[in-house]
């Protein structure tokens, strides 16, 4: 059986420095070695600002990420940054995230996804607010990256939230208000917040599934009093995959987001959303999704969210 964790390979003189890390950067990855390579390249530019380590948690049994990490390992080591590779055999991003948090050596944990790239100054901007003991979590901004593919005419800024991009809460740093949310692809938090439990493993992305635990745990922490500070200049770019750039995917994604949110609201004792919509199933079944203009698509995506939420209330 192959070794599932590359050794840290810290020189002995650096062991004490490892215990003084400011932040552990966790990159969860699943069968996207080319994008992971770009992500790690972007993290090289963060090496001088904040004392940190990087943990790559590979959720694929094929271990596609191993050669990428092995190639980058000596480069990061030359800059005094530990790069660790770990295989999480249980399928699902929540298992990978929980493994990363459990292994993190620093009191702060930052997440960046394998299909994201950090903009220069990202890590420093994400970590700086924690100098205030009243800050529990920090969220940054996410810019869409279409990877050379044209942005569809129907994909308005109002729909980019569906792709976990462009929160757009403000142009200046500030605490987020209730109802202003963020994703797990560009955030940091105090590790101690998760001492009572981790990310829910029965909900969330696994393979190609569209159930989502995005923000679920952080929503519960906020309901319990945790604070979130938003830093618009702590930016990453997020690759939007071409197979998702179609209207049916958007509606399916919103349906399953509604289902996931109902489960979260029930599980954590949060206020459930009112179900105050009406529709004709006959008309819905005969609707040509491809003909929807941007405004109609946004309205229809909201309806699909409510349908998913209502479906979950009858299933769970």
């Amino acid at each position: 059986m192959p070794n599932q964790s590359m050794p840290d390979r810290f020189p002995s003189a650096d062991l004490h420095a490892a215990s003084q890390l400011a932040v552990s950067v966790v990159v969860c990855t699943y069968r996207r070695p080319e994008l992971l390579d770009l992500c790690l390249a972007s993290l090289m530019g963060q090496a001088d600002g904040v004392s940190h380590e990087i943990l790559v948690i590979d959720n694929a049994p094929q271990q596609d990420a191993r050669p990428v990490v092995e190639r980058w390992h000596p480069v990061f080591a030359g800059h005094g940054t530990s790069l660790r590779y770990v295989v999480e055999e249980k399928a699902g991003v929540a298992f990978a995230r929980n493994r990363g948090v459990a292994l993190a050596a620093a009191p702060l944990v930052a997440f960046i996804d394998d299909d994201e790239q950090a903009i220069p100054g990202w890590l420093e901007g994400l970590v700086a607010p924690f100098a205030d003991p009243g800050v529990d979590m920090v969220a940054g901004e996410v810019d869409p990256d279409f990877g050379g593919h044209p942005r569809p005419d129907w994909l308005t800024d109002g729909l980019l939230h569906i792709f976990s991009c462009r929160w757009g809460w403000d142009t200046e740093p500030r605490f987020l208000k209730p109802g202003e949310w963020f994703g797990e692809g560009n955030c940091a938090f105090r590790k101690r917040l998760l001492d009572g439990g981790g990310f829910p493993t029965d909900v969330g992305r696994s393979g190609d599934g569209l159930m989502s635990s995005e923000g679920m745990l952080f929503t519960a922490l906020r309901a319990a009093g945790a604070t979130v500070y938003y830093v618009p200049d702590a930016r990453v770019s997020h690759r939007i995959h071409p197979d998702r750039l179609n209207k049916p995917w958007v509606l399916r994604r919103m349906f399953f987001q509604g289902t996931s949110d109902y489960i979260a609201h029930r599980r954590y004792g949060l206020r459930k959303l009112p179900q105050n919509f009406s529709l004709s199933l006959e008309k819905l079944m005969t609707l040509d999704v491809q003909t929807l203009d941007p405004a109609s698509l946004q309205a229809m995506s909201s309806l699909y969210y409510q349908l998913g939420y209502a479906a979950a209330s009858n299933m769970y």
Side-chain angles (χ1 to χ4, degrees), residues 7-50:
D8 290 340
R9 302 180 191 172
F10 273 122
S12 59
D14 290 341
L15 290 176
H16 176 71
S19 68
Q20 302 301 313
L21 289 169
V23 58
S24 297
V25 179
V26 176
V27 186
C28 298
T29 187
Y30 179 80
R31 308 219 67 184
R32 295 193 284 216
E34 297 85 1
L35 293 178
L36 175 64
D37 189 54
L38 294 173
C39 178
L40 292 179
S42 75
L43 293 179
M44 269 303 304
Q46 314 293 322
D48 298 331
V50 179

Side-chain angles (χ1 to χ4, degrees), residues 129-149:
F130 288 106
D132 179 350
V135 172
D136 297 311
M137 297 179 278
V138 175
E141 186 56 275
V142 181
D143 296 323
D145 170 15
F146 296 95
H149 295 272

